[in-house]
Every structure is written in C-alpha cells, then in structure tokens.
Amino acid sequence: MPELISIIVPVYGVEKYLRQCVDSVLAQTYSNWELILVDDGSKDTCPAICDEYAAKDSRIKVIHQENGGLSCARNAGLKDSYGSFVTFLDADDAFHPLFLEISLDVINRMGADVSCVCFTTNEFSVNSYKSDRSFGCVEYMCDIFYQKKYDCTHSAWGKLYKRNLLPKQPFTVGIGYEDLDAFYRYFPQFEKIAVSYRKLYYYRQNPESYLHKFNIGRADVLDVTDRIVEYFGEKGEYPNKDLLRAAKDRRMSAHFNIFCLMSVNKYHDNNLEKRCWNVIKKERLNSLLNPNVRLKNKIGAFLSYFGKTPLRILARFIYT
C-alpha cells in the first residue's frame, strides 16, 4: 500500500483562487493522499466551496473553525490528519501535477527526512539543469538564513515532511513570520534534507505588494530573529557556531529591512527605529567580514558607518 500523504490547506478569504488550488491536488499523479481544508472562519464563499469539493471526493476533509490565523489553521489540520507524510499548501497557491510523486521519490531515493522543491511565480518547470541533492541540516539552514537558495525558502509550503519528525503543533499562534519562527525550531530535527531543483510549487505573489509596505505586524520579524540568534547561541537549545553566525546575519537583514520600510513608508516610531539601528551597528562588521553574506547586506552595512541618511537613500532604490 502506498504511503498516505496529508495535504493541509488553511483557507481564508481566497474564493478567487481556491478552486485552482484544490484542482491542483486532484490532478496529482500520486493518488494516495488526504486533503484537509481548514476553513478559518472565512466570510466569503470559501466554506461552501470547501464543502462542495468534500462532497465529491472522499479524500477531502473540511474543518470549519472560528478565525484564529494561519498558524492556528495549520495546527488544526495537522492534528486531524493521518498521513505518514505531511505537506502544506497555501490556498492561493498550487501544485504541479508531479509535486507529490517527485517529492516522495526524492525522500525515498535519498533516505531523507524532508524534501524541498523550488517554487515559481510564473511557470512550472520539471526539467532542471541541477541534479537533486541532499544537505545536512546545518548546511541547508545556513544557506536559508544567508538567503542563498533563491528558489527554496524557510516557508512551510513546498516541502514534504516525515510526520513523526514534526512537532504536534509546529506553528506559534498569534505572531507574524510564523514560517520563519517554525523553521529554526523544527528543521534541526532533520538529519538529511533532500532538494529537488524542479519548480513544482506555484507561489502567487500578492498584487498589493506586501513586501514593499509596512505595518506594525511586520516588526514581529525582529522578535523572531532575536529568538533565532538566542536559540543557536552558546546557551541556547541548539548551540552551533555556524548557525549562530548565519542567524546573526539574518537578524541584521531583518532589522535593516524594517528600518528601510519605515523610512520609505514614513512610519515614525523612535523606539522601533532605535532598536533596528542598534542591531545594525552591532552586526555590521560581522556582515562585512563574512564571505557568505549577500551583497545587499554588505552595502547596507557599509553605508551605515556614514549614518542613517545613506540607508534611507538606499531604501528608496530598493523599496520604491
């Protein structure tokens, strides 16, 4: 009997895209799956669409709950699922028809604990000039923190996990950047991570361009990256010098981004700006001397030595 794969989809306010998402699951070449649609108190037609699909296919299960946010919905779906493998799919995204088949094959062929595929914002691509390969958790996580894997991310989606290695409730409720917050805590449980460079996950970019706007919820990333540095520090739960160095750069990047977004969007909060500036000053030399750090971070680190104004000028080029 083929292994059962649980697909968990949190659903809220995505009636425009939900059918494409579910249809992409129905089109999978690997058929032994269960789809858990978690209606997180959606006020549009999403609840009815979920029930419609569940009535047509016994592999589809619907959970209706009061709105609790993305983390709450994912945790609920995981709790009510039974597959020995788990994957997460956002309701405005879609799978390539070979996503499950290839993801499971890569795990089994490489003896990995989790497999990751590349994502696309345009067209799927099964062909790749790179071969599938495996990583140890430290190497993979360092690359993610340094943001060197541009088609693979810390996001929960686009990956297939061995269920027994996932925490019962991986996602922290009530915070932003829940994927980054979960990533640093559960990925150290995986001894081997397999990566397929085929673009099998369609990620829909928000037309409102969330990445270029600021609201106070975005500052959650500062707390998350502070916790990451503590986690891999000498007195943390998973002390590791390589991961600590990478985590410090990820924190530098987060504080740099929030500083720049506040500037571009004319958001005034002296305490928040001071917090970002202090971390930038603390970590800038490390970023300049670290060969793994991205050029963007090195430029920001260098300009910071001349004060805040050069960073604000740089922000206009990056975020406008």
Side-chain angles (χ1 to χ4, degrees):
M1 182 73 177
E3 299 277 8
L4 177 65
I5 297 176
S6 297
I7 306 162
I8 297 168
V9 180
V11 178
Y12 184 82
V14 287
E15 60 184 4
K16 183 177 179 181
Y17 308 114
L18 182 56
R19 291 185 184 278
Q20 181 184 0
C21 172
V22 178
D23 287 342
S24 78
V25 175
L26 292 170
Q28 291 298 297
T29 56
Y30 186 90
S31 60
N32 194 30
W33 49 259
E34 62 170 359
L35 174 61
I36 315 294
L37 298 171
V38 185
D39 162 34
D40 193 39
S42 189
K43 303 300 183 183
D44 56 9
T45 61
C46 282
I49 295 173
C50 290
D51 290 338
E52 174 192 329
Y53 275 100
K56 293 178 181 178
D57 195 313
S58 62
R59 296 173 296 178
I60 300 176
K61 183 190 307 182
V62 181
I63 299 173
H64 296 289
Q65 64 180 33
E66 293 183 4
N67 180 251
L70 179 63
S71 292
C72 184
R74 283 178 174 165
N75 287 339
L78 185 61
K79 181 179 179 181
D80 206 24
S81 63
Y82 295 93
S84 50
F85 291 90
V86 175
T87 187
F88 298 96
L89 170 63
D90 284 357
D92 51 355
D93 296 343
F95 285 155
H96 183 280
L98 290 169
F99 173 83
L100 293 182
E101 181 180 335
I102 289 177
S103 295
L104 185 58
D105 172 70
V106 169
I107 280 185
N108 290 333
R109 182 159 38 86
M110 296 192 171
D113 300 314
V114 58
S115 64
C116 314
V117 303
C118 293
F119 72 91
T120 179
T121 59
N122 189 7
E123 295 181 358
F124 289 121
S125 176
V126 178
N127 299 319
S128 173
Y129 65 91
K130 293 183 179 179
S131 300
D132 302 335
R133 62 164 294 191
S134 62
F135 297 81
C137 85
V138 172
E139 181 184 8
Y140 180 83
M141 293 183 73
C142 282
D143 281 356
I144 293 296
F145 287 144
Y146 287 128
Q147 298 174 300
K148 294 170 70 175
K149 293 188 177 302
Y150 298 110
D151 292 332
C152 296
T153 76
H154 61 261
S155 298
W157 46 257
K159 300 172 178 65
L160 184 66
Y161 309 88
K162 284 186 176 178
R163 180 193 183 89
N164 65 333
L165 294 178
L166 280 178
K168 291 183 178 179
Q169 292 192 317
F171 303 99
T172 303
V173 176
I175 65 168
Y177 294 86
E178 56 281 310
D179 283 12
L180 181 59
D181 176 74
F183 171 78
Y184 82 87
R185 290 183 290 105
Y186 64 64
F187 253 74
Q189 311 305 316
F190 306 136
E191 291 185 12
K192 183 182 287 188
I193 295 109
V195 174
S196 171
Y197 291 96
R198 287 162 283 194
K199 296 180 179 181
L200 304 177
Y201 187 98
Y202 174 68
Y203 170 71
R204 191 182 305 277
Q205 290 182 308
N206 189 336
E208 295 300 316
S209 193
Y210 169 81
L211 293 177
H212 291 176
K213 295 184 178 181
F214 180 82
N215 61 63
I216 193 60
R218 293 208 63 178
D220 282 356
V221 72
L222 307 184
D223 293 333
V224 173
T225 53
D226 282 348
R227 289 196 295 270
I228 293 174
V229 169
E230 182 179 350
Y231 193 83
F232 296 117
E234 185 176 341
K235 297 182 180 179
E237 293 187 42
Y238 193 89
N240 184 283
K241 291 182 179 179
D242 291 333
L243 283 170
L244 177 61
R245 195 178 188 197
K248 285 183 176 181
D249 181 66
R250 184 65 183 85
R251 178 172 65 173
M252 161 80 175
S253 180
H255 287 71
F256 171 73
N257 286 339
I258 295 300
F259 179 91
C260 289
L261 285 170
M262 288 173 62
S263 174
V264 168
N265 290 277
K266 296 180 172 57
Y267 184 92
H268 301 290
D269 185 322
N270 289 335
N271 289 332
L272 191 58
E273 180 179 295
K274 182 179 179 180
R275 176 181 179 179
C276 293
W277 185 244
N278 285 341
V279 170
I280 291 170
K281 289 193 297 182
K282 181 179 180 180
E283 302 296 349
R284 60 191 177 189
L285 182 59
N286 292 329
S287 291
L288 281 171
L289 298 178
N290 189 337
N292 292 306
V293 170
R294 295 185 302 164
L295 179 61
K296 171 186 167 183
N297 283 14
K298 286 184 179 293
I299 292 173
F302 175 75
L303 290 178
S304 72
Y305 281 98
F306 300 93
K308 297 178 182 179
T309 299
L311 283 189
R312 293 193 173 105
I313 294 173
L314 177 64
R316 294 175 200 159
F317 289 96
I318 296 175
Y319 296 105
T320 58

PDB file of all heavy atoms in Angstrom, residues 4-21:
ATOM      1  N   LEU A   4       0.401   7.152   2.751  1.00  0.00           N
ATOM      2  CA  LEU A   4      -0.601   8.212   2.734  1.00  0.00           C
ATOM      3  C   LEU A   4       0.075   9.549   2.990  1.00  0.00           C
ATOM      4  O   LEU A   4       0.859   9.695   3.935  1.00  0.00           O
ATOM      5  CB  LEU A   4      -1.671   7.960   3.799  1.00  0.00           C
ATOM      6  CG  LEU A   4      -2.760   9.042   3.930  1.00  0.00           C
ATOM      7  CD1 LEU A   4      -3.589   9.112   2.654  1.00  0.00           C
ATOM      8  CD2 LEU A   4      -3.646   8.771   5.147  1.00  0.00           C
ATOM      9  N   ILE A   5      -0.237  10.532   2.151  1.00  0.00           N
ATOM     10  CA  ILE A   5       0.287  11.890   2.299  1.00  0.00           C
ATOM     11  C   ILE A   5      -0.852  12.822   2.696  1.00  0.00           C
ATOM     12  O   ILE A   5      -1.894  12.857   2.033  1.00  0.00           O
ATOM     13  CB  ILE A   5       0.939  12.390   0.999  1.00  0.00           C
ATOM     14  CG1 ILE A   5       2.145  11.526   0.633  1.00  0.00           C
ATOM     15  CG2 ILE A   5       1.359  13.853   1.138  1.00  0.00           C
ATOM     16  CD1 ILE A   5       2.792  11.901  -0.692  1.00  0.00           C
ATOM     17  N   SER A   6      -0.655  13.560   3.767  1.00  0.00           N
ATOM     18  CA  SER A   6      -1.639  14.548   4.212  1.00  0.00           C
ATOM     19  C   SER A   6      -1.266  15.918   3.650  1.00  0.00           C
ATOM     20  O   SER A   6      -0.130  16.372   3.812  1.00  0.00           O
ATOM     21  CB  SER A   6      -1.692  14.620   5.737  1.00  0.00           C
ATOM     22  OG  SER A   6      -2.119  13.397   6.292  1.00  0.00           O
ATOM     23  N   ILE A   7      -2.230  16.552   3.007  1.00  0.00           N
ATOM     24  CA  ILE A   7      -2.038  17.896   2.444  1.00  0.00           C
ATOM     25  C   ILE A   7      -2.908  18.856   3.245  1.00  0.00           C
ATOM     26  O   ILE A   7      -4.136  18.706   3.278  1.00  0.00           O
ATOM     27  CB  ILE A   7      -2.437  17.942   0.958  1.00  0.00           C
ATOM     28  CG1 ILE A   7      -1.691  16.866   0.174  1.00  0.00           C
ATOM     29  CG2 ILE A   7      -2.194  19.319   0.367  1.00  0.00           C
ATOM     30  CD1 ILE A   7      -2.308  16.550  -1.174  1.00  0.00           C
ATOM     31  N   ILE A   8      -2.296  19.831   3.887  1.00  0.00           N
ATOM     32  CA  ILE A   8      -3.023  20.732   4.778  1.00  0.00           C
ATOM     33  C   ILE A   8      -3.100  22.122   4.156  1.00  0.00           C
ATOM     34  O   ILE A   8      -2.069  22.726   3.833  1.00  0.00           O
ATOM     35  CB  ILE A   8      -2.352  20.777   6.154  1.00  0.00           C
ATOM     36  CG1 ILE A   8      -2.416  19.379   6.785  1.00  0.00           C
ATOM     37  CG2 ILE A   8      -3.022  21.812   7.058  1.00  0.00           C
ATOM     38  CD1 ILE A   8      -1.554  19.214   7.998  1.00  0.00           C
ATOM     39  N   VAL A   9      -4.331  22.602   3.979  1.00  0.00           N
ATOM     40  CA  VAL A   9      -4.562  23.889   3.322  1.00  0.00           C
ATOM     41  C   VAL A   9      -5.383  24.801   4.235  1.00  0.00           C
ATOM     42  O   VAL A   9      -6.577  24.549   4.455  1.00  0.00           O
ATOM     43  CB  VAL A   9      -5.304  23.714   1.989  1.00  0.00           C
ATOM     44  CG1 VAL A   9      -5.543  25.071   1.323  1.00  0.00           C
ATOM     45  CG2 VAL A   9      -4.528  22.798   1.051  1.00  0.00           C
ATOM     46  N   PRO A  10      -4.785  25.847   4.801  1.00  0.00           N
ATOM     47  CA  PRO A  10      -5.566  26.843   5.541  1.00  0.00           C
ATOM     48  C   PRO A  10      -6.318  27.737   4.556  1.00  0.00           C
ATOM     49  O   PRO A  10      -5.752  28.169   3.543  1.00  0.00           O
ATOM     50  CB  PRO A  10      -4.502  27.626   6.316  1.00  0.00           C
ATOM     51  CG  PRO A  10      -3.251  27.446   5.522  1.00  0.00           C
ATOM     52  CD  PRO A  10      -3.349  26.142   4.795  1.00  0.00           C
ATOM     53  N   VAL A  11      -7.579  27.991   4.846  1.00  0.00           N
ATOM     54  CA  VAL A  11      -8.433  28.709   3.891  1.00  0.00           C
ATOM     55  C   VAL A  11      -9.040  29.931   4.564  1.00  0.00           C
ATOM     56  O   VAL A  11      -9.736  29.815   5.574  1.00  0.00           O
ATOM     57  CB  VAL A  11      -9.560  27.792   3.364  1.00  0.00           C
ATOM     58  CG1 VAL A  11     -10.471  28.571   2.409  1.00  0.00           C
ATOM     59  CG2 VAL A  11      -8.980  26.567   2.675  1.00  0.00           C
ATOM     60  N   TYR A  12      -8.787  31.101   3.975  1.00  0.00           N
ATOM     61  CA  TYR A  12      -9.420  32.321   4.474  1.00  0.00           C
ATOM     62  C   TYR A  12      -9.420  33.387   3.373  1.00  0.00           C
ATOM     63  O   TYR A  12      -8.360  33.827   2.921  1.00  0.00           O
ATOM     64  CB  TYR A  12      -8.696  32.870   5.711  1.00  0.00           C
ATOM     65  CG  TYR A  12      -9.392  34.079   6.300  1.00  0.00           C
ATOM     66  CD1 TYR A  12     -10.485  33.928   7.154  1.00  0.00           C
ATOM     67  CD2 TYR A  12      -8.983  35.361   5.968  1.00  0.00           C
ATOM     68  CE1 TYR A  12     -11.145  35.026   7.671  1.00  0.00           C
ATOM     69  CE2 TYR A  12      -9.632  36.474   6.486  1.00  0.00           C
ATOM     70  CZ  TYR A  12     -10.720  36.300   7.341  1.00  0.00           C
ATOM     71  OH  TYR A  12     -11.372  37.391   7.839  1.00  0.00           O
ATOM     72  N   GLY A  13     -10.594  33.775   2.947  1.00  0.00           N
ATOM     73  CA  GLY A  13     -10.743  34.910   2.032  1.00  0.00           C
ATOM     74  C   GLY A  13     -10.074  34.745   0.685  1.00  0.00           C
ATOM     75  O   GLY A  13      -9.582  35.722   0.117  1.00  0.00           O
ATOM     76  N   VAL A  14     -10.075  33.522   0.148  1.00  0.00           N
ATOM     77  CA  VAL A  14      -9.381  33.278  -1.120  1.00  0.00           C
ATOM     78  C   VAL A  14     -10.318  32.633  -2.153  1.00  0.00           C
ATOM     79  O   VAL A  14      -9.905  31.795  -2.931  1.00  0.00           O
ATOM     80  CB  VAL A  14      -8.141  32.384  -0.915  1.00  0.00           C
ATOM     81  CG1 VAL A  14      -7.023  33.142  -0.228  1.00  0.00           C
ATOM     82  CG2 VAL A  14      -8.495  31.134  -0.121  1.00  0.00           C
ATOM     83  N   GLU A  15     -11.580  33.051  -2.166  1.00  0.00           N
ATOM     84  CA  GLU A  15     -12.543  32.426  -3.066  1.00  0.00           C
ATOM     85  C   GLU A  15     -12.128  32.521  -4.538  1.00  0.00           C
ATOM     86  O   GLU A  15     -12.445  31.651  -5.342  1.00  0.00           O
ATOM     87  CB  GLU A  15     -13.925  33.065  -2.891  1.00  0.00           C
ATOM     88  CG  GLU A  15     -13.966  34.543  -3.173  1.00  0.00           C
ATOM     89  CD  GLU A  15     -15.321  35.180  -2.896  1.00  0.00           C
ATOM     90  OE1 GLU A  15     -16.227  34.482  -2.398  1.00  0.00           O
ATOM     91  OE2 GLU A  15     -15.475  36.380  -3.196  1.00  0.00           O
ATOM     92  N   LYS A  16     -11.343  33.537  -4.859  1.00  0.00           N
ATOM     93  CA  LYS A  16     -10.901  33.733  -6.241  1.00  0.00           C
ATOM     94  C   LYS A  16      -9.929  32.654  -6.697  1.00  0.00           C
ATOM     95  O   LYS A  16      -9.852  32.320  -7.887  1.00  0.00           O
ATOM     96  CB  LYS A  16     -10.262  35.121  -6.375  1.00  0.00           C
ATOM     97  CG  LYS A  16      -9.827  35.488  -7.786  1.00  0.00           C
ATOM     98  CD  LYS A  16      -9.269  36.911  -7.804  1.00  0.00           C
ATOM     99  CE  LYS A  16      -8.794  37.290  -9.200  1.00  0.00           C
ATOM    100  NZ  LYS A  16      -8.218  38.662  -9.231  1.00  0.00           N
ATOM    101  N   TYR A  17      -9.174  32.070  -5.748  1.00  0.00           N
ATOM    102  CA  TYR A  17      -8.098  31.147  -6.107  1.00  0.00           C
ATOM    103  C   TYR A  17      -8.294  29.727  -5.586  1.00  0.00           C
ATOM    104  O   TYR A  17      -7.551  28.821  -5.971  1.00  0.00           O
ATOM    105  CB  TYR A  17      -6.761  31.672  -5.555  1.00  0.00           C
ATOM    106  CG  TYR A  17      -6.461  33.104  -5.920  1.00  0.00           C
ATOM    107  CD1 TYR A  17      -6.408  34.090  -4.933  1.00  0.00           C
ATOM    108  CD2 TYR A  17      -6.238  33.468  -7.241  1.00  0.00           C
ATOM    109  CE1 TYR A  17      -6.130  35.411  -5.263  1.00  0.00           C
ATOM    110  CE2 TYR A  17      -5.963  34.783  -7.572  1.00  0.00           C
ATOM    111  CZ  TYR A  17      -5.909  35.753  -6.571  1.00  0.00           C
ATOM    112  OH  TYR A  17      -5.636  37.059  -6.910  1.00  0.00           O
ATOM    113  N   LEU A  18      -9.260  29.514  -4.715  1.00  0.00           N
ATOM    114  CA  LEU A  18      -9.371  28.239  -4.019  1.00  0.00           C
ATOM    115  C   LEU A  18      -9.595  27.061  -4.959  1.00  0.00           C
ATOM    116  O   LEU A  18      -9.027  25.983  -4.767  1.00  0.00           O
ATOM    117  CB  LEU A  18     -10.491  28.301  -2.979  1.00  0.00           C
ATOM    118  CG  LEU A  18     -10.703  27.057  -2.115  1.00  0.00           C
ATOM    119  CD1 LEU A  18      -9.414  26.659  -1.389  1.00  0.00           C
ATOM    120  CD2 LEU A  18     -11.825  27.292  -1.104  1.00  0.00           C
ATOM    121  N   ARG A  19     -10.416  27.237  -5.964  1.00  0.00           N
ATOM    122  CA  ARG A  19     -10.683  26.119  -6.877  1.00  0.00           C
ATOM    123  C   ARG A  19      -9.415  25.686  -7.614  1.00  0.00           C
ATOM    124  O   ARG A  19      -9.162  24.491  -7.799  1.00  0.00           O
ATOM    125  CB  ARG A  19     -11.772  26.501  -7.883  1.00  0.00           C
ATOM    126  CG  ARG A  19     -13.151  26.653  -7.254  1.00  0.00           C
ATOM    127  CD  ARG A  19     -14.226  26.909  -8.297  1.00  0.00           C
ATOM    128  NE  ARG A  19     -15.514  27.147  -7.667  1.00  0.00           N
ATOM    129  CZ  ARG A  19     -16.337  26.189  -7.246  1.00  0.00           C
ATOM    130  NH1 ARG A  19     -16.004  24.921  -7.413  1.00  0.00           N
ATOM    131  NH2 ARG A  19     -17.485  26.500  -6.676  1.00  0.00           N
ATOM    132  N   GLN A  20      -8.618  26.650  -8.043  1.00  0.00           N
ATOM    133  CA  GLN A  20      -7.362  26.305  -8.717  1.00  0.00           C
ATOM    134  C   GLN A  20      -6.456  25.524  -7.785  1.00  0.00           C
ATOM    135  O   GLN A  20      -5.799  24.561  -8.195  1.00  0.00           O
ATOM    136  CB  GLN A  20      -6.647  27.565  -9.189  1.00  0.00           C
ATOM    137  CG  GLN A  20      -5.336  27.282  -9.927  1.00  0.00           C
ATOM    138  CD  GLN A  20      -4.580  28.546 -10.306  1.00  0.00           C
ATOM    139  OE1 GLN A  20      -5.025  29.654 -10.031  1.00  0.00           O
ATOM    140  NE2 GLN A  20      -3.432  28.380 -10.931  1.00  0.00           N
ATOM    141  N   CYS A  21      -6.440  25.913  -6.522  1.00  0.00           N
ATOM    142  CA  CYS A  21      -5.624  25.223  -5.523  1.00  0.00           C
ATOM    143  C   CYS A  21      -6.075  23.767  -5.366  1.00  0.00           C
ATOM    144  O   CYS A  21      -5.259  22.838  -5.471  1.00  0.00           O
ATOM    145  CB  CYS A  21      -5.720  25.952  -4.190  1.00  0.00           C
ATOM    146  SG  CYS A  21      -4.957  25.101  -2.804  1.00  0.00           S
TER     147      CYS A  21
END
